[in-house]
């Protein structure tokens, strides 16, 4: 079992003066949610997610060796323009990973990044952004250490991404990712995400996620603040136990293709996440009236048609509508007919289960 020490890079004999890499990394949507964390971005409970395809961040990292300097230096551009307000988060990330990547201070970096989904669309971009940046950093490390194995490359990329944004470790590789130690998942780790260890039933192949943009505003509560609310939460221990149980159930569901059980677990997890926020101190209601309208119409549609469509939510108002590929036309027609009116400016994004980060 790998420990943090295994990710500390040794001095390299290879010298690289300048180079650039470019990666895209997708967002992901958790089916069993992680809410609450310990020190160093360790999750309080394990989680499992679908990696997406279309909602992604594309990041180019160019670097040039410095003569002397013992500081992190970088320029940051978002969609082609300097973005000063993003820099503190990147600096904090570099400081956090310095022990594992001491070579970062040897270079001046130029980071060019963009999202394929609208900025402030209410879709978390920290997962895709930190994953894409981590893939580039690992490309630099692999250039300095050409003997690195592919397995180590991806494990350390996920490990670094986690230190930037917890859920980013689930955006590195694979279509279904488990993060956090769980007795039924061999090789599962709190330090990085791992691919689902057994065969996934054909029912979940090309699973669809249509994201209904109910509220495109800034997050009402940051993820960091939200996770911190679990420290003294009266229901925290029950929640962590529930997550372990639900992960066991969803493992069997993904293996057997039981769509009815999938619907129950995924919706229960979404509502539990929001219940934890409603019962914390301070408390938050992150759903909007339109979120509830969508949920109720979706339930009515499912009862009437028996189509196994369900919803999940992140820590916000937007609704992820999940359904198998073979009912895509029917569900999209229902979304256009009945749900688009509840979206801000009628906006929604069609996505599907993906495979992780891609080198460009």
């Amino acid at each position: 079992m790998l420990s943090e020490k295994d990710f500390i890079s040794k001095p390299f004999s290879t010298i690289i003066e300048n180079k650039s890499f470019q990666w895209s990394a997708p967002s992901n949507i958790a089916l069993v949610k992680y809410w609450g964390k310990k020190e160093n971005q360790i999750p309080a409970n394990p989680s499992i997610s679908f990696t997406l395809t279309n909602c992604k961040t594309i990041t180019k990292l160019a670097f040039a060796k410095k003569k002397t300097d013992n500081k992190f230096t970088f320029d940051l551009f978002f969609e082609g323009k300097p973005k000063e307000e993003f820099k503190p988060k990147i600096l904090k990330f570099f400081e956090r990973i310095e022990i594992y990547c001491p070579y970062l201070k040897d270079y001046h970096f130029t980071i060019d990044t963009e999202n394929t989904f609208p900025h402030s669309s209410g879709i978390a971009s920290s997962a895709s952004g930190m994953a894409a940046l981590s893939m580039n950093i690992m490309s630099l490390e692999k250039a300095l250490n050409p003997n690195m194995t592919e397995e180590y490359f991806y494990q350390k990329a996920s490990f670094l991404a986690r230190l930037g944004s917890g859920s980013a470790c689930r955006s590195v590789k694979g279509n279904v990712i488990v993060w956090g130690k769980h007795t039924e998942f061999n090789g599962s780790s709190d330090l990085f995400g791992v691919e689902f260890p057994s065969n996934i039933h054909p029912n979940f192949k090309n699973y669809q996620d249509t994201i209904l943009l109910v509220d495109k505003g800034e997050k009402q509560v940051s993820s960091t603040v939200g996770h911190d609310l679990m420290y003294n939460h009266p229901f925290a221990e029950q929640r962590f136990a529930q997550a372990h149980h639900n992960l066991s159930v969803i493992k069997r569901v993904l293996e057997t293709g039981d769509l009815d059980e999938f619907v129950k677990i995924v919706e229960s997890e979404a509502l539990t996440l929001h219940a934890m926020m409603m019962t914390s101190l301070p408390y938050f209601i992150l759903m909007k009236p339109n979120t509830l309208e969508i949920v109720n119409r979706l339930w009515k549609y499912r009862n009437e048609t028996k189509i196994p469509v369900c919803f999940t939510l992140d820590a916000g108002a937007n609704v992820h509508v999940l359904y198998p590929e073979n009912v895509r036309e029917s569900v999209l027609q229902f979304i256009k007919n009945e749900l688009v009116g509840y979206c801000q400016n009628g906006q929604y994004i069609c996505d599907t289960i993906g495979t992780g980060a891609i080198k460009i």
Side-chain angles (χ1 to χ4, degrees):
M1 182 64 73
L2 289 171
S3 71
E4 279 111 327
K5 288 178 183 172
D6 293 307
F7 293 114
I8 298 173
S9 65
K10 310 285 190 294
F12 305 119
S13 55
T14 307
I15 296 170
I16 296 174
E17 291 297 327
N18 54 68
K19 200 168 175 142
S20 68
F21 298 102
Q22 189 171 21
W23 282 83
S24 77
S27 191
N28 66 75
I29 181 66
L31 307 173
V32 172
K33 310 291 185 181
Y34 121 82
W35 198 241
K37 59 187 173 186
K38 304 170 191 174
E39 281 186 327
N40 299 324
Q41 300 283 86
I42 298 295
N45 68 267
S47 59
I48 190 168
S49 63
F50 278 160
T51 313
L52 299 179
T53 299
N54 299 327
C55 291
K56 60 191 175 187
T57 299
I58 300 164
T59 300
K60 182 179 181 182
L61 185 72
F63 48 91
K65 199 158 176 54
K66 298 185 291 195
K67 294 284 185 279
T68 54
D69 194 354
N70 206 27
K71 292 190 301 212
F72 296 112
T73 63
F74 60 93
D75 297 309
L76 181 67
F77 297 89
F78 178 69
E79 294 178 351
K81 294 175 184 167
K83 196 79 172 174
E84 290 300 311
E85 59 261 45
F86 283 6
K87 288 181 86 170
K89 189 169 186 180
I90 302 296
L91 179 59
K92 188 177 178 185
F93 174 56
F94 280 172
E95 288 170 348
R96 206 177 259 174
I97 67 171
E98 179 185 5
I99 184 174
Y100 309 106
C101 308
Y103 51 85
L104 292 176
K105 282 184 174 173
D106 297 338
Y107 295 93
H108 176 78
F109 295 97
T110 303
I111 305 166
D112 278 288
T113 189
E114 61 183 277
N115 295 331
T116 59
F117 47 92
H119 184 52
S120 293
S121 64
I123 297 171
S125 58
S126 56
S128 54
M130 286 300 177
L133 182 55
S134 298
M135 298 309 292
N136 281 299
I137 289 170
M138 284 310 296
S139 288
L140 166 57
E141 186 170 320
K142 184 161 175 59
L144 292 166
N145 177 21
N147 296 324
M148 182 189 297
T149 65
E150 183 177 343
E151 182 183 31
Y152 181 85
F153 175 91
Y154 279 101
Q155 283 178 340
K156 185 167 178 178
S158 180
F159 172 85
L160 295 178
R162 186 196 98 243
L163 293 171
S165 169
S167 58
C169 75
R170 300 190 310 241
S171 283
V172 166
K173 195 181 185 194
N175 46 16
V176 179
I177 301 296
V178 178
W179 171 38
K181 283 183 188 166
H182 189 280
T183 53
E184 291 184 41
F185 290 87
N186 290 337
S188 60
S189 172
D190 289 341
L191 301 181
F192 49 84
V194 299
E195 293 183 81
F196 190 75
S198 43
N199 288 331
I200 294 165
H201 193 277
N203 281 353
F204 297 104
K205 187 173 165 40
N206 296 329
Y207 220 73
Q208 304 291 302
D209 179 6
T210 301
I211 306 157
L212 307 180
L213 303 179
V214 172
D215 181 22
K216 293 166 59 184
E218 285 293 310
K219 274 179 158 178
Q220 196 179 322
V221 52
S222 77
S223 297
T224 302
V225 170
H227 287 294
D228 286 350
L229 294 173
M230 292 298 284
Y231 281 126
N232 298 307
H233 200 293
F235 309 129
E237 291 310 312
Q238 295 97 318
R239 163 58 199 154
F240 300 147
Q242 178 197 36
H244 278 270
H245 171 74
N246 283 348
L247 210 59
S248 297
V249 175
I250 209 158
K251 180 176 186 286
R252 292 192 295 276
V253 164
L254 291 171
E255 290 166 348
T256 62
D258 185 341
L259 291 170
D260 290 337
E261 195 64 29
F262 179 82
V263 165
K264 284 181 202 165
I265 291 286
V266 168
E267 291 190 344
S268 167
E269 276 286 318
L271 294 173
T272 299
L273 172 68
H274 283 258
M276 298 311 284
M277 281 179 272
M278 287 189 225
T279 50
S280 61
L281 278 173
Y283 38 78
F284 298 92
I285 298 178
L286 300 187
M287 289 189 257
K288 301 285 185 189
N290 282 359
T291 309
L292 296 173
E293 284 290 346
I294 288 168
V295 167
N296 280 311
R297 283 184 177 258
L298 191 146
W299 282 345
K300 183 170 181 280
Y301 172 76
R302 187 170 70 221
N303 285 336
E304 289 172 353
T305 63
K306 306 306 177 199
I307 288 174
V309 58
C310 67
F311 72 88
T312 190
L313 308 162
D314 270 337
N318 297 329
V319 182
H320 290 250
V321 182
L322 301 173
Y323 50 96
E325 188 181 33
N326 65 354
V327 295
R328 186 172 185 270
E329 284 184 27
S330 306
V331 174
L332 280 177
Q333 197 58 55
F334 158 66
I335 288 170
K336 287 172 189 167
N337 291 348
E338 293 201 39
L339 302 186
V340 166
Y342 298 109
C343 301
Q344 196 170 333
N345 302 325
Q347 282 191 292
Y348 62 96
I349 297 171
C350 291
D351 215 329
T352 183
I353 192 168
T355 54
I358 298 167
K359 193 172 183 181
I360 300 170

